[in-house]
Amino acid sequence: MQLIDSHVHLNFDVFAPDLEAVRSRWQAAGVVRLVHSCVEPAEFASIQAIAQRFPEVSFAVGLHPLDAHKWTESMFEEIMFLARTEPKVVAIGEMGLDFYKAENQQQQRQVFEAQLEIAAALDLPVIIHCREASAQAREILQSMKQLYGDKIRGVMHCWSGTPEETAWFLDLGFYVSFSGIVTFKNAHTIQTAAQMVSSDRLLIETDCPFLAPVPKRKERRNEPAFVRHVAEFLAHLRGVEPDEIAVQTTANACQLFGLSA
């Protein structure tokens, strides 16, 4: 079984002591590719170093919505330059909207739109973080698609929306990625959404070091090897074999991010 973990954060300090061992475990679990997300451009050098160290790691560059207050006029050109000059950059992000506790909603919207402009200019997919803001994210994506067409494409990562919200983003042509949250006992709404996503739009991820899936909930951190449990749970949920989920989600990640399995 070959798998792609479409969203990781391996540069966090929690992985520093034993990253080689973590890699050995993801290889043993069948993880052949990983897409490393980016919280802010200041992380670029540390993420780039990991991608150079491990050939199977590709990555994104962007600014997380909870860090929207760090946006400066120069950051637009900074992200553009970094993405243009590093061949292993396969996406812009993670970006988006997080209105769970935010008081800077307008600022988040502006930063989201700016990064979508970068992605369109470079013809790269986007990795979208969306929490308590599905209607607003949909509105922005619809508007940007009118301007840039199919150059606005990407994935709703670590998805936790309702079936109705899921349909919105599928209608916009986006992929939907499920993390360990889908395996949680009370995640009924997310599980319903996971059943409705067509096979050709489905991705899997760990979002490690966060959100370890069942049966690894008691682990001190999540790690890429555990994406296998997400795949197995989705297979059971959707009534198919785990190999089918593995093959389809691997093909989907390769298609979206331009990877070779």
Side-chain angles (χ1 to χ4, degrees), residues 96-110:
L97 303 174
D98 191 320
F99 291 172
Y100 179 57
K101 292 183 179 179
E103 296 180 356
N104 64 336
Q105 293 188 10
Q106 186 57 34
Q107 184 179 41
Q108 284 193 31
R109 292 173 66 102
Q110 292 169 350

Side-chain angles (χ1 to χ4, degrees), residues 118-166:
I118 294 171
L122 299 179
D123 198 13
L124 285 173
V126 295
I127 298 171
I128 296 182
H129 172 108
C130 181
R131 187 178 187 191
E132 303 289 336
S134 291
Q136 296 89 342
R138 177 198 192 191
E139 174 192 336
I140 289 171
L141 290 171
Q142 285 176 326
S143 176
M144 297 299 279
K145 265 190 165 291
Q146 288 178 352
L147 291 174
Y148 299 109
D150 291 341
K151 288 187 176 182
I152 301 297
R153 67 192 194 281
V155 56
M156 308 303 295
H157 111 86
C158 195
W159 184 241
S160 60
T162 67
E164 180 185 13
E165 292 165 346
T166 305

Side-chain angles (χ1 to χ4, degrees), residues 21 90 109 141 197 244 254:
V90 296
R109 292 173 66 102
L141 290 171
V197 176
E244 182 176 332
C254 289

Side-chain angles (χ1 to χ4, degrees), residues 63-117:
L63 186 68
H64 192 285
L66 293 180
D67 291 290
H69 61 281
K70 298 179 182 179
W71 184 263
T72 63
E73 291 184 8
S74 63
M75 195 173 286
F76 184 99
E77 293 300 331
E78 180 185 7
I79 293 173
M80 182 86 76
F81 175 79
L82 294 173
R84 268 196 181 129
T85 56
E86 170 51 71
K88 297 200 80 173
V89 169
V90 296
I92 304 299
E94 63 189 274
M95 65 173 77
L97 303 174
D98 191 320
F99 291 172
Y100 179 57
K101 292 183 179 179
E103 296 180 356
N104 64 336
Q105 293 188 10
Q106 186 57 34
Q107 184 179 41
Q108 284 193 31
R109 292 173 66 102
Q110 292 169 350
V111 173
F112 185 23
E113 291 172 356
Q115 290 182 91
L116 288 168
E117 290 178 14

